[in-house]
Amino acid sequence: MRLVIVRVAVALSVALLACAGPARAQEVDPKALELSRKIATLTNAQATGDQVLSLIMPKLTELVVRANPGMEAQARDMMDSRVTPAMREMLPEMVELTAQIYARHFTVDELTQLTDFYGTPLGQKLIQSQPVLIAEAGQAGQQWAVKVIQKILKDLEPEFKQRGLQVPA
């Protein structure tokens, strides 16, 4: 049951990202965008994105592998040799999108304060701690999702049965 729940959680995350659609293009202050890009560099945003990929790609790979019974090795090879590297190549686009989002939500003054902050010892500590924080948060989020989905499915099992539905095992 745990594997099914993890698959559901991953599928749900992918679906939510797909449904979100592209953000509406808005004019951004060029200075704000410049500062946002500087923040992305200071915070090592591309490495953080790479770490996020490292967390999600094994789950996505397992979904693809399971969707291809009898061809598991070929599916895994495709994910490892083509899909994951292609995702990593696209990380600069994600970093640029993030910079644009920051530029829309923060003023030039606020972005200046953020760049100043990231230059302080505390700012550097935050940057250096990010990989561990992301890994722990990702693991905690996955554990939470599994626990919550298990509870909800168990609580709603009578209603599933009443409707003639099976709860995943």
Side-chain angles (χ1 to χ4, degrees), residues 10-74:
V10 170
L12 179 61
S13 298
V14 171
L16 288 172
L17 288 172
C19 291
R24 271 186 273 160
Q26 296 176 353
E27 292 293 321
V28 295
D29 181 328
K31 179 67 176 170
L33 187 55
E34 177 188 332
L35 287 165
S36 295
R37 288 177 179 140
K38 184 175 181 179
I39 290 169
T41 300
L42 286 169
T43 60
N44 210 2
Q46 185 151 338
T48 301
D50 190 63
Q51 184 180 9
V52 170
L53 280 180
S54 295
L55 293 171
I56 64 170
M57 290 311 295
K59 292 164 185 55
L60 181 58
T61 297
E62 287 310 308
L63 287 174
V64 172
V65 166
R66 284 180 177 37
N68 292 281
M71 299 185 68
E72 292 85 355
Q74 295 93 324

Side-chain angles (χ1 to χ4, degrees), residues 3-4 32 40 60 96-97 118:
L3 179 59
V4 169
L60 181 58
E96 178 62 21
L97 290 171
Y118 286 124

Side-chain angles (χ1 to χ4, degrees), residues 75-148:
R76 194 173 305 284
D77 179 62
M78 180 67 175
M79 295 300 292
D80 291 345
S81 68
R82 303 288 290 146
V83 176
T84 300
M87 293 288 291
R88 284 198 167 96
E89 285 179 28
M90 299 301 292
L91 282 174
E93 181 180 331
M94 184 272 312
V95 171
E96 178 62 21
L97 290 171
T98 302
Q100 291 176 17
I101 291 167
Y102 271 66
R104 284 195 306 268
H105 290 274
F106 292 93
T107 66
V108 169
D109 183 54
E110 291 167 334
L111 291 165
T112 300
Q113 290 176 52
L114 282 170
T115 57
D116 291 346
F117 167 73
Y118 286 124
T120 68
L122 180 58
Q124 288 300 303
K125 181 178 180 180
L126 176 63
I127 292 166
Q128 291 168 0
S129 300
Q130 285 294 85
V132 172
L133 297 172
I134 289 169
E136 288 183 23
Q139 186 177 23
Q142 182 179 350
Q143 290 170 352
W144 172 84
V146 168
K147 181 180 81 173
V148 168

